[in-house]
Amino acid sequence: MQKLIELKKDEEILVSSKPGKYLKPDYVYIPVKKEDKLLVKPNEKVKIGSNITTSIISPISGAVRSLKKMMSFNNALYYLEIENDFEEQRVKEGAKKRKFSKEEVFEVLSGKLKDKKNLVLNAIDDELYVVTENFYLFLYYDVFLELLDDLDSMFHLEHIIVCVSASSSENISNLMSDLGMYPHIELKMVPSLYLLGKTEFLLSYLGMDEKNTVVIKASRFYDAYNTLKRGRCPSDKLFTISGNAIKNPMVIQSKIGVLLKDIIKELIEFKEKDFLFIAGGLMQGKIIDIDNFVITHSLNSILIMKKEEARESLSCLKCGACHDICPKGLYPNLFSDPVYFEQKKNICLKCGLCSYICPVYINFNKYWKGENNE
C-alpha cells in the first residue's frame, strides 16, 4: 500500500457530541437537471415521500412553487421550491419488516452485493474536522448491526467488517459492548491516515480485494436501512459544520434541500468576523458563496475558516515533494504541460496532498479550472 500520512490539525476545533437539528424549514429546494422529468406541477400539494422526479422525493409536505436558480454539490442549475405546510403528511409507507428479498437488496445497493464474499461498513472520515460518517455510526450503530446480521443470514458472507478510526472512542466503546451478540461481525480500528476512507486504500490496508468485497459508507448504509427496514426513502441527512471561525462546531441533522444560510443563522455562533466557507473539506473541497447554496444528499461538510493572509505562490522548486507524497505516483509539478495533464488527469484523485506539501504553496487544483501555470 502507498505510504499515507496523518494530516496536522488544530486540536482546538472540537465537534460537539450532540447533533444540532434543522428539520422544520420554511422551504426546501429540489435539484432538477435537464434530463430529469418533473412529476409535479406548480401549486400542487405534495407529501413527505412524494416523487418530485423519477429519482428524488419531497422531504417535506407542502405546496410546489417555482423553479429557481440555486447552487449545490449536484451541479444542477435549477431547483424546485416547495413551501412547507408543517403538517408532516407522508405518503403511505411499507410496513417495518425484518425480512426482505435479495432482489430488494440488489436494487437498494445497486447490485453491489451480488456475488460478493465480504462486506465492509466504512465509517471513516478522511477530511480534517469532518465527522459525518463517524456520526452516522454513532447515532445508528444498533440498527446498523441488525441490518448487517440480516444481510449475513441472507448472503452467508465470509467477512463482515465495521471500520472505524482508532480515534473514535465512542464508536469503539459502543461496538465492543454489542458485538458479542453478532459473532460474525468484526470491528477494525484503522489509523487516522489521510485517504484510508477511500475504498481503494481501505481494501489495501485490510488485505482484501475489490472483486470479492463491497465497501459501503455509513451514510449510504443509513439510506439502505431506511429503505429495507423502514420502507421509506430518507428525507433527512447528516453533515458536519466546523472550523476555526465558529464557537460551536457540530454535526447537523437537517432536511435535504434546505438553504445553508438558514441553518447557519439558526444554529451557528461565530467568533471571527472575516471568514470563508468551504464545502467538502479542506483538502478536496471548494470555496462557496452560501447565499443560495442548497444542502443536497451528497454534501458531507461545510467548514467555516478564518481568512488568513494569502501565501504567495512562488515558482516551482522542482524539489519532488509533490511526487513523493502522491498516492498515485504522479508528478503534479508537470501538470502545467497540457500533454502530461491530459494523460494523467483521470488517474489523479484530486486529494490535495500535492498542494498540502508544496513548500511554495502552489495550488495544483488550478489545472482543473483551466488555469495556466503563471
Side-chain angles (χ1 to χ4, degrees), residues 137-153:
L137 184 61
F138 176 66
L139 294 178
Y140 306 111
Y141 74 92
D142 51 348
V143 294
F144 281 8
L145 292 177
E146 289 182 12
L147 180 54
L148 288 171
D149 189 52
D150 287 344
L151 294 175
D152 181 34
S153 299

Side-chain angles (χ1 to χ4, degrees), residues 292-308:
N292 294 305
F293 192 87
V294 177
I295 304 300
T296 52
H297 193 274
S298 57
L299 181 75
N300 72 331
S301 66
I302 297 290
L303 298 185
I304 307 176
M305 305 297 292
K306 61 183 179 182
K307 286 185 180 179
E308 299 176 342

